[in-house]
Amino acid sequence: MRVFLISISFLSVVSILSLVGSVKPLRAAAAAAPAPLSEELLLSIYNGDRTNGGRAARLLSAATKLEGKKSTKIALLKKSVEFGLKSMGLPKCRTTTEKALEQLGRLTDDNSTDSFFTDKKVEFYRISYRLPAKSRVQKLDIRNRLIAALAQSAEFHEQSYRWLEAARAYTEAARLSTRPVTPDLPSLRRKVLRATHMRKVQMAIDKATKDLKKDPNDVKARNKLIKFYLVEYDKPAEAVKYLNEDADEILRTYIPLALRRPFEVKLSACKEMAKWYGQMLTKEASPHAKANMLRRGIIYCDRFLDSPKRDAEGALLLGVIKGNMKKELKKLDPEPIRPPKPGSLAGGTITLDLGKGISMKLRGIPPKKVYGNDRLKGKLVAASPYYIGLTEVTQEQYEAVIGTNPSSLKGRKNPVDQVSWHEAQAFCKKLSNSTGRTVRLPTEAEWSNASEAGVKYLYFFGEDPRKLVQYAWCKTNTKDLGEAEDHYRPVATRKPNPWGLYDMYGNAWEWVFDLHTAGEEETRKIPSDAHKALGGDWTTTCRPGVFAWSGAKGKHKGWGFRVLVEYE
């Protein structure tokens, strides 16, 4: 079977946003509203059941069995959640409500414009937290889920610039994080302060917008809007809308450049952009926005310093400027990206016993939203933390579970390859049965979230593709080994990403759960069971945003997988 590679734009990877509390665009306003449910339909589903718990279960069952008609399914799930929340004292009813919320989250995250899901999720965990728990561990787990739901709700409000509601949600999450103290507490407290500050900023923006509408020649109001969007929101795309001939020449020169990706900006301009962000705009920024300006300045410094065409004098100057910016950033952001630790929302590390003395380690990944190319539609990767394999599934792990080894190049620590999507699914199912955990393939969004590790550069290690060889077995370094034939290597022999995951670039393609459907650029016929594989293998350049696809029965050299375990 032939395999085709497709390069896609992945704008979210190269967006230069704050790593903590970045502002996200509004959700799409054209979301489809749930279809109204007729009284006749509801009565037929209830089938005479008058209890809240019974009706919630029947609505959930009807929604689960319903094929197609997404809007009707959403309406049924919403109704199920509403009934379920009324009888939370019953364990069976709590389970029903939680399942309804999970299904609702999968269906509405792409295009929901109302806060039903986030509000009801918070309400569900608030009630659960107040109810007696079987053990202290269970109580802490519910507490962590409530904190995650509150953080998600706050992010939803941020997208609509409802900063007061966001501040309240972050405040409640921070209060809960003190009993006992979690590693997320400092971050939540910073988000409370930021949301409070951004509420004041948004009020000032609303006033300036009103003034400019009354008088289009109000230079003061126009400049305020430019500075607020450019510095406080870190959104040059919004700031550029207010530029005109009356604006400062520096702003008219540099803001259009800020709209481009750093590697698209000329080298001479990078030097000026680094000084503009790192020295000028940081002076005008609040403490909450200063980190964004410093990060942008550092990225332009790296772009200049990594170029072989740089001049010596400029390199010396920008080296000093970059050092000063990093010192300032360290004061503002004392918590660099680090692998999630036990006790945090990410859940730490778990180990699965595969039998025969073989085990598999997985890293906890925190819940996260990602955005499409137009950055208008937010997609929730996971409502709860999840665990993903530290490495690709190795041949010894696969053989311990399945009993066979189909790989093209045998080696205990080599990634298993020549497995179809169906065989990867069978591995997950068998491992689920033997461990009692829910094991599955990650979705494309879950895989990408784990790969990026919270970093907003082109690669998780920065913008320079020459450093890829330190983190991946790829086309660049496998050809330099003097061997008769290029091939994949043992797992975990290159550097990991910031969250401790190995081989997220290169070595072997990794199957994900998602189907691949034909896009506008597709000219070849795609089978109905075509699924994606991500990350590239040792024969590719491992550019972010590149994927491969194949039919679910296809077995290819260099195609393996890694597994995900759901948070429980």
Side-chain angles (χ1 to χ4, degrees):
M1 182 175 293
R2 300 176 65 188
V3 180
F4 304 101
L5 304 182
I6 301 170
S7 177
I8 59 173
S9 172
F10 205 79
L11 184 58
S12 62
V13 175
V14 296
S15 298
I16 312 164
L17 299 173
S18 170
L19 298 180
V20 178
S22 59
V23 179
K24 300 178 177 69
L26 290 171
R27 297 191 180 200
L37 301 174
S38 66
E39 190 67 24
E40 183 182 0
L41 173 63
L42 291 174
L43 289 173
S44 67
I45 293 173
Y46 299 155
N47 195 26
D49 196 328
R50 295 178 178 273
T51 65
N52 292 323
R55 289 187 172 187
R58 291 176 181 277
L59 287 162
L60 174 61
S61 177
T64 303
K65 294 176 182 176
L66 184 65
E67 296 292 337
K69 297 185 178 179
K70 181 178 175 180
S71 59
T72 303
K73 196 168 187 175
I74 289 173
L76 289 170
L77 289 170
K78 284 188 172 184
K79 203 76 175 173
S80 175
V81 169
E82 288 173 349
F83 277 116
L85 289 173
K86 294 176 182 178
S87 298
M88 285 286 287
L90 303 173
K92 190 174 181 180
C93 192
R94 288 202 297 273
T95 302
T96 299
T97 309
E98 189 169 25
K99 288 180 179 179
L101 280 169
E102 287 175 359
Q103 289 194 32
L104 187 61
R106 296 191 195 104
L107 290 172
T108 60
D109 286 321
D110 282 338
N111 55 12
S112 176
T113 56
D114 68 83
S115 59
F116 181 93
F117 173 67
T118 53
D119 289 347
K120 297 303 179 184
K121 188 176 178 183
V122 168
E123 185 179 350
F124 172 80
Y125 285 117
R126 272 188 186 138
I127 297 171
S128 299
Y129 188 59
R130 295 188 192 114
L131 294 172
K134 293 181 180 179
S135 66
R136 185 173 181 273
V137 173
Q138 186 187 51
K139 192 77 170 178
L140 288 176
D141 179 66
I142 296 172
R143 187 277 306 261
N144 286 349
R145 291 171 184 260
L146 175 55
I147 292 171
L150 286 164
Q152 182 185 347
S153 176
E155 290 176 4
F156 183 94
H157 292 309
E158 285 182 356
Q159 293 166 33
S160 302
Y161 305 137
R162 295 197 292 267
W163 294 105
L164 178 60
E165 291 83 352
R168 286 172 176 168
Y170 281 133
T171 300
E172 184 178 351
R175 178 177 55 79
L176 288 166
S177 295
T178 62
R179 304 179 305 195
V181 174
T182 72
D184 303 283
L185 181 58
S187 173
L188 289 169
R189 283 176 172 168
R190 287 197 299 272
K191 289 182 178 181
V192 171
L193 294 174
R194 180 179 177 276
T196 303
H197 167 74
M198 291 306 298
R199 184 193 175 207
K200 296 177 182 177
V201 169
Q202 189 58 46
M203 290 171 66
I205 286 177
D206 292 342
K207 184 178 183 305
T209 303
K210 196 173 182 181
D211 292 342
L212 191 63
K213 192 173 182 180
K214 287 182 180 178
D215 181 11
N217 297 318
D218 190 336
V219 177
K220 187 177 179 181
R222 186 179 296 276
N223 285 337
K224 277 185 178 180
L225 289 169
I226 292 172
K227 292 294 176 66
F228 279 136
Y229 280 118
L230 177 65
V231 179
E232 297 300 326
Y233 271 116
D234 190 23
K235 293 171 67 175
E238 289 296 321
V240 76
K241 296 176 183 178
Y242 297 96
L243 287 178
N244 63 8
E245 295 180 356
D246 297 328
D248 185 272
E249 185 179 354
I250 292 177
L251 295 177
R252 286 189 281 116
T253 302
Y254 291 154
I255 291 180
L257 289 176
L259 296 176
R260 302 180 187 176
R261 292 175 289 187
F263 57 85
E264 295 176 339
V265 178
K266 291 182 178 179
L267 207 59
S268 58
C270 275
K271 183 163 62 174
E272 299 304 317
M273 292 292 285
K275 292 190 285 186
W276 184 54
Y277 268 109
Q279 295 181 328
M280 296 177 64
L281 293 185
T282 50
K283 294 178 181 178
E284 302 177 15
S286 68
H288 306 282
K290 192 174 181 179
N292 288 351
M293 303 298 101
L294 290 169
R295 288 191 188 96
R296 278 189 177 261
I298 289 171
I299 288 173
Y300 286 113
C301 283
D302 288 338
R303 163 80 173 93
F304 183 87
L305 293 172
D306 289 343
S307 172
K309 298 181 181 179
R310 68 185 187 277
D311 62 275
E313 184 180 345
L316 182 63
L317 174 62
L318 258 64
V320 174
I321 292 175
K322 179 184 174 182
N324 292 335
M325 285 193 288
K326 290 184 78 173
K327 288 179 183 177
E328 287 296 315
L329 186 59
K330 191 173 182 180
K331 294 176 184 177
L332 294 170
D333 191 12
E335 296 182 62
I337 298 171
R338 64 188 189 280
K341 296 181 179 179
S344 71
L345 292 181
T349 302
I350 62 171
T351 301
L352 299 183
D353 182 7
L354 309 187
K356 301 179 182 179
I358 308 299
S359 61
M360 177 187 291
K361 289 186 177 181
L362 301 99
R363 170 71 69 187
I365 305 299
K368 174 75 179 293
K369 283 190 179 71
V370 295
Y371 293 86
N373 294 335
D374 57 7
R375 295 192 63 76
L376 291 177
K377 294 185 178 181
K379 181 176 181 180
L380 188 70
V381 171
S384 300
Y386 56 96
Y387 301 93
I388 198 166
L390 289 179
T391 68
E392 297 147 333
V393 174
T394 64
Q395 293 178 26
E396 67 174 3
Q397 291 170 340
Y398 188 85
E399 192 167 359
V401 175
I402 301 298
T404 59
N405 182 3
S407 302
S408 58
L409 179 68
K410 297 296 190 288
R412 293 174 58 249
K413 297 297 182 182
N414 287 346
V416 66
D417 73 326
Q418 297 192 148
V419 291
S420 68
W421 185 86
H422 285 312
E423 288 172 334
Q425 288 283 75
F427 176 92
C428 293
K429 184 177 181 180
K430 194 165 183 179
L431 190 55
S432 295
N433 293 336
S434 64
T435 61
R437 304 294 295 261
T438 304
V439 184
R440 58 177 174 83
L441 291 177
T443 64
E444 180 180 7
E446 289 167 337
W447 189 98
S448 298
N449 175 42
S451 175
E452 293 165 20
V455 178
K456 301 297 180 182
Y457 297 134
L458 178 61
Y459 298 90
F460 60 66
F461 52 78
E463 295 283 347
D464 187 359
R466 292 173 297 178
K467 297 179 182 178
L468 179 65
V469 294
Q470 300 175 30
Y471 299 87
W473 288 112
C474 56
K475 186 177 181 179
T476 308
N477 56 5
T478 53
K479 287 186 175 296
D480 299 333
L481 299 177
E483 298 179 353
E485 184 180 0
D486 299 332
H487 54 80
Y488 48 73
R489 309 287 159 171
V491 299
T493 50
R494 300 279 88 183
K495 292 182 181 179
N497 76 356
W499 282 350
L501 306 178
Y502 295 90
D503 301 310
M504 296 305 288
Y505 297 138
N507 211 26
W509 287 101
E510 299 179 22
W511 285 110
V512 292
F513 184 79
D514 303 63
L515 281 167
H516 173 55
T517 54
E520 293 181 0
E521 75 284 355
E522 290 282 0
T523 57
R524 304 177 181 88
K525 185 178 179 180
I526 297 176
S528 59
D529 66 344
H531 287 267
K532 290 184 177 181
L534 304 178
D537 66 3
W538 77 94
T539 67
T540 68
T541 56
C542 304
R543 288 184 293 113
V546 175
F547 66 86
W549 62 264
S550 175
K553 296 180 181 179
K555 300 180 182 183
H556 310 289
K557 184 178 180 180
W559 280 49
F561 63 102
R562 77 176 69 212
V563 300
L564 177 147
V565 173
E566 293 185 358
Y567 179 83
E568 296 173 357

